[in-house]
Amino acid sequence: MVAPGRYAQKRTREVFGQWKKPDNFKIEAFVVRVGEWGGRLLVDCDDPLTVHKFCSTYPLRTTGASAVEDAVRVELEAIDWRDSLNEQVAK
């Protein structure tokens, strides 16, 4: 009988070894936590459903992120729009 941890390692290698990375799925970093199971995968992908499909294949949790320069740009746009509403109400 194979120990559960060893079976999981073997199964992960079998499944991940056959996976074909989509063209729009760029792996930026893939690291594991030292001395334990699990790690972090940083990807750049323009399609949330591609990420969802990947996470449905492997037991992963996702967190969306944006480049800081993009995030600041849209935050400033949102603030300007919100402030323009106050100006319209005051008139």
Side-chain angles (χ1 to χ4, degrees):
M1 181 171 158
V2 178
R6 291 182 66 194
Y7 173 78
Q9 287 176 319
K10 183 178 178 182
R11 183 65 182 147
T12 298
R13 185 179 66 227
E14 289 171 355
V15 172
F16 198 72
Q18 295 179 46
W19 177 69
K20 303 294 183 220
K21 184 180 73 63
D23 291 337
N24 65 340
F25 196 90
K26 181 180 178 191
I27 297 175
E28 300 283 350
F30 196 1
V31 297
V32 296
R33 294 187 305 267
V34 176
E36 60 183 277
W37 285 94
R40 300 288 185 263
L41 175 65
L42 176 63
V43 301
D44 185 0
C45 184
D46 59 359
D47 182 7
L49 293 178
T50 299
V51 176
H52 180 68
K53 184 176 181 180
F54 180 79
C55 294
S56 295
T57 305
Y58 304 98
L60 299 172
R61 184 178 57 210
T62 63
T63 302
S66 297
V68 69
E69 59 271 12
D70 295 332
V72 169
R73 178 181 47 79
V74 298
E75 288 170 12
L76 292 174
E77 290 172 5
I79 291 167
D80 288 345
W81 177 80
R82 183 189 61 216
D83 290 349
S84 76
L85 297 176
N86 291 338
E87 293 169 8
Q88 291 173 8
V89 171
K91 290 181 180 181

